[in-house]
Amino acid sequence: MKRELEAKVTAGERLSREDGIALYESDDLVWLGRLAHQVRTEKNGDRVMFNVNRHLNLTNVCSASCAYCSFQRKPGEKDAYTMRIHEAVAKAKEMEGEQLTELHIVNGLHPTLPWKYYPKVLRELKGALPGVNLKAFTATEIQWFEKISGLPADEILDELMDAGLESLTGGGAEIFDWEVRQHIVDHATHWEDWSRIHRLAHTKGLRTPSTMLYGHIEEPRHRVDHVLRLRELQDETGGFSVFIPLRYQHDFVDSADGKIRNRLQARTKMASPAESLKTFAVSRLLFDNVPHVKCFWVMHGLSVAQLSLNFGVDDLDGSVVEYKITHDADSYGTPNTMHREDLLNLIWDAGFQPVERNTKYEIVREYDKPTPQAQRRAEPQQVWA
Ligand code: SF4
């Protein structure tokens, strides 16, 4: 079976559902990494892309209660917040240093904020930070805007793009298979609407990211199914720029009010680093028509992020100074600040060439190739925890 799979990968043949399941059944992590690295190197050489971005969450008030979510708050809860437009702009201006190229904006499904708030906030942000790409809203939020405005997604996207939207975000995907999805997702956007909205965005010329939340109650066959649905849509539109496997997080931190909101916690474990590396590798091998696979280091820690570069990953997100959604669910040592210099050193230390990109995957700057290990001075290397 291994020889058959190797032959298929080497010949550039598309892998099937059964192949994907067989890859997940293998415990030979080194072999999986080597296969994925072969494909990653054919597509992207020894380059690792990154961008200098900041995350902005306009509100954590949400009408839904997804089982895995530690971020959402109900109206009136102690640490519920919603930014006024001028507050959002002031916050974004604070984040602007270091030649920021992207703002990544995702939010709760606020029950009473009017639809017009969202294009208005984008327009004001674009006016205040004209050189910064706005990557904003999940497909779930777009469907929520349909509900609160009575407008179709077509008109919503037009208005948001007119206000400065340059990409949707990839969230809301989780695991598409209903067998799993019905137990973890509380919002109304499932595969039919998620794919409808991304397809529509692609027809309007937006390129969007795609994601998968793994490591909770799903099985490998659900991950395979998830990637194959995305691969099929990518065949049709070619609009996905990247695939991002997101590691499900336990809610380690009791937030200010001491509540643990993650309702999956009692019956789940988080994916181990080995499982994450396997997921990156199998995703790279199966999702043959997506140009990039990204590791969101905030969810994995920095050493796994470095290792992931040998398991199919060629894109690191990001240069994040503050990231609320994961950090509400994380107190196990992932730093919440990484700057451009940190990212560069992390990539060089792993033996790759850093390439800075913008939201559209246009190259902003290519940096030096890494110094080969043999030429490095015999001094202690930085340990990336
Ligand atoms: S995942 Fe999104 S939609 Fe679901 S509860 Fe959290 S903020 Fe709301």
Side-chain angles (χ1 to χ4, degrees), residues 26-27 45 81 100 181 206 232 250 254 271 281 292 316 327 376:
S26 169
D27 284 329
Y81 73 87
L100 182 68
R181 195 170 184 84
L206 296 181
E232 202 177 317
H250 268 183
D254 288 5
H292 305 287
L316 287 182
H327 276 274
R376 290 197 195 176

Side-chain angles (χ1 to χ4, degrees), residues 60-72 74 107-109 138 140 174 185-187 325:
N60 62 356
V61 176
C62 189
S63 302
S65 301
C66 299
Y68 53 83
C69 182
S70 314
F71 171 71
Q72 57 88 14
K74 296 302 167 212
N107 319 288
L109 310 175
T138 59
T140 311
E174 328 313 359
V185 170
D186 185 48
H187 57 71
I325 291 180

Side-chain angles (χ1 to χ4, degrees), residues 194 198 202 207-210 229-231 233-234 237-242 287 289-291:
W194 194 97
H198 279 264
H202 297 167
R207 295 185 77 210
T208 65
S210 53
R229 291 183 199 221
L230 292 168
R231 185 173 81 178
L233 182 53
Q234 179 76 334
T237 68
F240 290 121
S241 48
V242 63
F287 205 162
N289 52 0
V290 77

Side-chain angles (χ1 to χ4, degrees), residues 150-165:
L151 297 170
D154 187 35
E155 286 176 42
I156 282 168
L157 286 176
D158 283 347
E159 188 159 347
L160 292 174
M161 287 167 71
D162 187 58
L165 182 77

Side-chain angles (χ1 to χ4, degrees), residues 168-225:
L168 294 181
T169 68
E174 328 313 359
I175 287 283
F176 290 126
D177 191 314
W178 186 246
E179 199 177 33
V180 172
R181 195 170 184 84
Q182 62 185 313
H183 299 294
I184 63 168
V185 170
D186 185 48
H187 57 71
T189 309
H190 307 303
W191 168 247
E192 294 69 22
D193 286 302
W194 194 97
S195 57
R196 168 178 66 86
I197 288 164
H198 279 264
R199 182 184 286 109
L200 188 60
H202 297 167
T203 62
K204 291 179 181 294
L206 296 181
R207 295 185 77 210
T208 65
S210 53
T211 64
M212 170 177 77
L213 187 71
Y214 71 93
H216 40 88
I217 59 169
E218 91 291 358
E219 294 173 18
R221 66 192 164 93
H222 300 118
R223 295 182 208 168
V224 171
D225 173 78

